[in-house]
Amino acid sequence: MTTTNSIVIPAKYLRFAALFAANEKTSLLRSGIEGVNVRIKDNKLVIMATDGGMLVMVAIEGEIYYPDIAFILSTEAIKDIKKDVKDVTVTYLNNVGAVIDSCLPITLSTVHGSITTATRARLFPQVSRVVPYSLSGEHSVFASKYYVLIDKAQKLLNPSNKDAVIRIWENGVNASIVDFNDVNICAVIMPFRLKDGREEVTYSRPGFTR
C-alpha cells in the first residue's frame, strides 16, 4: 500500500547540509550518493551530507515522525528554496514497510510555492564508523576548502552573529570534531594528508579556535 506523508524541516538545516553535500566533481566517495540524505528512524529526523572529507548530521527529535523512511534530496532543489523561507514541507509517497522507491517524486513546499524533485534511495556511510569515541588533541591539518565551507555554514546558521566562534577539536591523523554551537548538529572532518613536504594553504579568521 502506498501512502502520502509529509514532514516539516527547518530550511536552515537543509541549506546547511547542502553546503557539504557531494557532487560529481567534489565527491571522494562512490557515485550515487550526491545530495542531502533525509531519513526518519525511531521517531527521529536525521539530515546528513558528506563528500568523503567532511560529514555533517542534523538530528531533530521532539516531533512525531512516521513512518521510517530514507531518501536523498538534490542540492539543486534545496538551492532553489528562497532565502527568506524558514520551514519547508517535504511531501512524499511511501510504500509502507519499504524504503522509498527511487522513482517516486518528492515535493518541497514553501510560502513561495512548490518544487518537485526526483529522489534516490541510497545508503549513506554509517555515522557510527566515522565519529571518534575520543580525541587525542594532536595537531591536525585540514584542507582549506573546509574552512571556507565552515565559515559559510556558521553565517547561515547564525546570520545575526557572523563572528561566532567555531571550535575544531583536533585528533591527529584521525577524524576531528567541528562544533557549530548547535545541539542538533554533529560534524566530523578528516585531516588533510600532506605529501612530499608540501604545505596546504589554510584559511583563518578570528572566529576559529583549534
Side-chain angles (χ1 to χ4, degrees):
M1 181 176 67
T2 300
T3 61
T4 300
N5 300 88
S6 63
I7 51 176
V8 177
I9 302 177
K12 71 175 183 178
Y13 287 137
L14 287 177
R15 297 190 188 101
F16 166 78
L19 283 175
F20 301 95
N23 59 51
E24 294 180 356
K25 294 182 179 179
T26 64
S27 179
L28 301 177
L29 303 165
R30 66 184 184 276
S31 62
I33 67 168
E34 294 90 3
V36 174
N37 182 250
V38 178
R39 65 177 64 174
I40 297 173
K41 187 173 179 60
D42 300 328
N43 203 33
K44 178 188 293 184
L45 172 63
V46 176
I47 304 164
M48 186 164 54
T50 182
D51 67 351
M54 185 166 175
L55 180 146
V56 297
M57 181 180 71
V58 180
I60 304 174
E61 298 182 90
E63 302 291 338
I64 298 176
Y65 297 114
Y66 179 84
D68 288 0
I69 197 169
F71 53 84
I72 294 176
L73 292 176
S74 70
T75 54
E76 289 76 14
I78 294 173
K79 289 177 181 177
D80 285 340
I81 300 171
K82 295 185 181 298
K83 291 183 179 180
D84 62 337
V85 170
K86 293 185 177 180
D87 294 303
V88 177
T89 300
V90 180
T91 304
Y92 54 90
L93 297 176
N94 179 53
N95 293 328
V96 175
V99 173
I100 195 168
D101 191 312
S102 59
C103 67
L104 294 179
I106 295 284
T107 301
L108 284 65
S109 302
T110 70
V111 293
H112 298 290
S114 299
I115 304 166
T116 300
T117 180
T119 65
R120 287 168 290 176
R122 301 274 184 168
L123 294 177
F124 261 51
Q126 291 290 330
V127 177
S128 60
R129 299 179 183 177
V130 180
V131 179
Y133 291 101
S134 61
L135 298 169
S136 67
E138 297 176 77
H139 178 62
S140 302
V141 177
F142 307 107
S144 58
K145 70 173 184 178
Y146 293 117
Y147 289 102
V148 177
L149 290 175
I150 290 169
D151 198 12
K152 289 181 179 179
Q154 185 277 133
K155 292 174 182 176
L156 187 157
L157 293 170
N158 303 288
S160 61
N161 187 5
K162 295 183 179 181
D163 292 322
V165 173
I166 303 299
R167 294 179 175 84
I168 300 179
W169 302 96
E170 296 180 332
N171 199 22
V173 297
N174 300 304
S176 299
I177 298 293
V178 181
D179 183 3
F180 282 99
N181 302 301
D182 189 311
V183 295
N184 294 321
I185 294 176
C186 174
V188 175
I189 183 171
M190 294 300 296
F192 183 86
R193 290 173 172 79
L194 299 176
K195 296 181 180 179
D196 303 325
R198 290 178 294 176
E199 294 186 1
E200 165 73 355
V201 177
T202 59
Y203 174 87
S204 179
R205 69 172 179 81
F208 279 95
T209 64
R210 306 175 71 178

